[in-house]
């Protein structure tokens, strides 16, 4: 059994397109992805400070379990990063297409 602070992330070959698209289909999650796309890494409380903590937790879990982001505990904080290379390896061009559409749409 995983420790309480240990977060699981799907292996690259286990990332499913339908899960990624479902995760990216929510406006708050797209805001998180856009924020992470413009930075190396961000701490949990910095991504969407205007949402309740429970909502942020839910959105981050959805993004992590779909394979879109990586969450790494660093002391009392959690560092977030977009799994850009993993998504590109699994679905070439998808992330860039989604981010380009999000900026124009």
């Amino acid at each position: 059994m995983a420790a309480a602070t240990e977060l699981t992330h799907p292996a690259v070959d286990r990332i499913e397109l339908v899960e990624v698209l479902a995760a990216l289909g929510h406006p708050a999650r797209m805001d998180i992805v856009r924020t992470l796309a413009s930075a190396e890494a961000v701490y949990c409380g910095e991504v969407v400070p205007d949402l309740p903590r429970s909502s942020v937790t839910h959105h981050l879990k959805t993004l992590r379990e779909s394979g879109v982001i990586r969450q790494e505990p660093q002391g009392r904080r959690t560092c977030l990063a977009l799994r850009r290379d993993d998504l590109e390896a699994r679905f070439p061009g998808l992330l860039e297409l989604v981010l380009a559409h999000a900026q124009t749409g």
Side-chain angles (χ1 to χ4, degrees), residues 1-103:
M1 177 181 242
T5 58
E6 188 177 322
L7 301 170
T8 58
H9 301 84
V12 175
D13 64 340
R14 296 287 184 147
I15 298 173
E16 298 293 332
L17 182 59
V18 69
E19 302 275 332
V20 171
L21 294 176
L24 295 175
H26 192 282
R29 292 193 285 266
M30 273 307 303
D31 286 345
I32 293 168
V33 170
R34 276 193 298 271
T35 298
L36 294 176
S38 64
E40 286 281 323
V42 177
Y43 287 104
C44 213
E46 300 169 342
V47 287
V48 277
D50 54 334
L51 284 181
R53 186 175 179 179
S54 61
S55 294
V56 173
T57 300
H58 167 73
H59 292 309
L60 293 178
K61 179 181 178 187
T62 300
L63 289 167
R64 177 178 45 81
E65 289 179 348
S66 69
V68 175
I69 68 168
R70 181 165 299 282
Q71 287 179 269
E72 298 292 338
Q74 293 183 349
R76 297 179 68 134
R77 300 171 84 185
T78 301
C79 185
L80 308 172
L82 191 58
R83 292 181 66 180
R84 186 182 298 270
D85 292 341
D86 293 342
L87 290 170
E88 184 62 25
R90 187 77 168 128
F91 310 110
L94 176 68
L95 186 59
E96 292 309 316
L97 180 65
V98 167
L99 288 170
H101 178 70
Q103 291 174 354

